[in-house]
mmCIF file of all heavy atoms in Angstrom:
data_model
loop_
_atom_site.group_PDB
_atom_site.id
_atom_site.type_symbol
_atom_site.label_atom_id
_atom_site.label_comp_id
_atom_site.label_asym_id
_atom_site.label_seq_id
_atom_site.Cartn_x
_atom_site.Cartn_y
_atom_site.Cartn_z
ATOM 1 N N GLN A 186 -10.764 10.752 -26.179
ATOM 2 C CA GLN A 186 -9.888 11.635 -25.395
ATOM 3 C C GLN A 186 -10.651 12.883 -24.942
ATOM 4 O O GLN A 186 -10.491 13.344 -23.820
ATOM 5 C CB GLN A 186 -8.670 12.042 -26.236
ATOM 6 C CG GLN A 186 -7.679 10.899 -26.458
ATOM 7 C CD GLN A 186 -6.531 11.326 -27.356
ATOM 8 O OE1 GLN A 186 -5.805 12.251 -27.044
ATOM 9 N NE2 GLN A 186 -6.382 10.655 -28.475
ATOM 10 N N ALA A 190 -11.375 13.849 -21.113
ATOM 11 C CA ALA A 190 -10.933 15.156 -20.592
ATOM 12 C C ALA A 190 -12.074 15.834 -19.829
ATOM 13 O O ALA A 190 -11.863 16.446 -18.773
ATOM 14 C CB ALA A 190 -10.460 16.045 -21.738
ATOM 15 N N SER A 193 -12.580 14.120 -16.548
ATOM 16 C CA SER A 193 -11.552 14.546 -15.580
ATOM 17 C C SER A 193 -11.909 15.874 -14.924
ATOM 18 O O SER A 193 -11.419 16.203 -13.855
ATOM 19 C CB SER A 193 -10.171 14.642 -16.265
ATOM 20 O OG SER A 193 -10.113 15.762 -17.127
ATOM 21 N N LYS A 194 -12.785 16.650 -15.590
ATOM 22 C CA LYS A 194 -13.228 17.937 -15.020
ATOM 23 C C LYS A 194 -14.471 17.758 -14.146
ATOM 24 O O LYS A 194 -15.052 18.721 -13.662
ATOM 25 C CB LYS A 194 -13.521 18.929 -16.149
ATOM 26 C CG LYS A 194 -12.255 19.395 -16.856
ATOM 27 C CD LYS A 194 -12.585 20.253 -18.051
ATOM 28 C CE LYS A 194 -11.314 20.613 -18.816
ATOM 29 N NZ LYS A 194 -11.605 21.177 -20.141
ATOM 30 N N ALA A 235 -4.874 7.231 -17.929
ATOM 31 C CA ALA A 235 -4.561 8.056 -19.107
ATOM 32 C C ALA A 235 -3.568 9.176 -18.771
ATOM 33 O O ALA A 235 -2.643 9.457 -19.542
ATOM 34 C CB ALA A 235 -5.840 8.641 -19.683
ATOM 35 N N LEU A 236 -3.726 9.780 -17.611
ATOM 36 C CA LEU A 236 -2.778 10.834 -17.187
ATOM 37 C C LEU A 236 -1.377 10.248 -16.966
ATOM 38 O O LEU A 236 -0.382 10.850 -17.352
ATOM 39 C CB LEU A 236 -3.273 11.503 -15.892
ATOM 40 C CG LEU A 236 -4.442 12.494 -16.047
ATOM 41 C CD1 LEU A 236 -4.971 12.882 -14.669
ATOM 42 C CD2 LEU A 236 -4.018 13.723 -16.827
ATOM 43 N N ASN A 239 0.428 9.849 -20.180
ATOM 44 C CA ASN A 239 0.441 11.057 -21.011
ATOM 45 C C ASN A 239 -0.503 10.948 -22.210
ATOM 46 O O ASN A 239 -0.204 11.427 -23.302
ATOM 47 C CB ASN A 239 1.865 11.389 -21.503
ATOM 48 C CG ASN A 239 2.740 11.835 -20.366
ATOM 49 O OD1 ASN A 239 2.299 12.564 -19.478
ATOM 50 N ND2 ASN A 239 3.993 11.400 -20.376
ATOM 51 N N TRP A 240 -1.629 10.267 -22.008
ATOM 52 C CA TRP A 240 -2.630 10.150 -23.067
ATOM 53 C C TRP A 240 -3.741 11.168 -22.901
ATOM 54 O O TRP A 240 -4.710 11.158 -23.628
ATOM 55 C CB TRP A 240 -3.225 8.734 -23.078
ATOM 56 C CG TRP A 240 -2.256 7.683 -23.512
ATOM 57 C CD1 TRP A 240 -1.103 7.861 -24.219
ATOM 58 C CD2 TRP A 240 -2.348 6.268 -23.260
ATOM 59 N NE1 TRP A 240 -0.467 6.659 -24.415
ATOM 60 C CE2 TRP A 240 -1.207 5.668 -23.843
ATOM 61 C CE3 TRP A 240 -3.279 5.471 -22.593
ATOM 62 C CZ2 TRP A 240 -0.976 4.290 -23.789
ATOM 63 C CZ3 TRP A 240 -3.051 4.105 -22.550
ATOM 64 C CH2 TRP A 240 -1.916 3.513 -23.144
ATOM 65 N N LEU A 241 -3.586 12.027 -21.921
ATOM 66 C CA LEU A 241 -4.610 13.039 -21.656
ATOM 67 C C LEU A 241 -3.893 14.342 -21.326
ATOM 68 O O LEU A 241 -3.075 14.400 -20.429
ATOM 69 C CB LEU A 241 -5.466 12.593 -20.450
ATOM 70 C CG LEU A 241 -6.758 13.338 -20.201
ATOM 71 C CD1 LEU A 241 -7.713 13.227 -21.362
ATOM 72 C CD2 LEU A 241 -7.414 12.801 -18.928
ATOM 73 N N ASP A 242 -4.178 15.384 -22.101
ATOM 74 C CA ASP A 242 -3.497 16.670 -21.860
ATOM 75 C C ASP A 242 -4.072 17.376 -20.646
ATOM 76 O O ASP A 242 -5.232 17.269 -20.356
ATOM 77 C CB ASP A 242 -3.636 17.557 -23.100
ATOM 78 C CG ASP A 242 -2.921 16.941 -24.292
ATOM 79 O OD1 ASP A 242 -1.919 16.249 -24.086
ATOM 80 O OD2 ASP A 242 -3.404 17.139 -25.433
#
Side-chain angles (χ1 to χ4, degrees):
Q186 289 177 60
S193 72
K194 290 174 185 167
L236 284 170
N239 291 321
W240 291 340
L241 193 61
D242 296 329

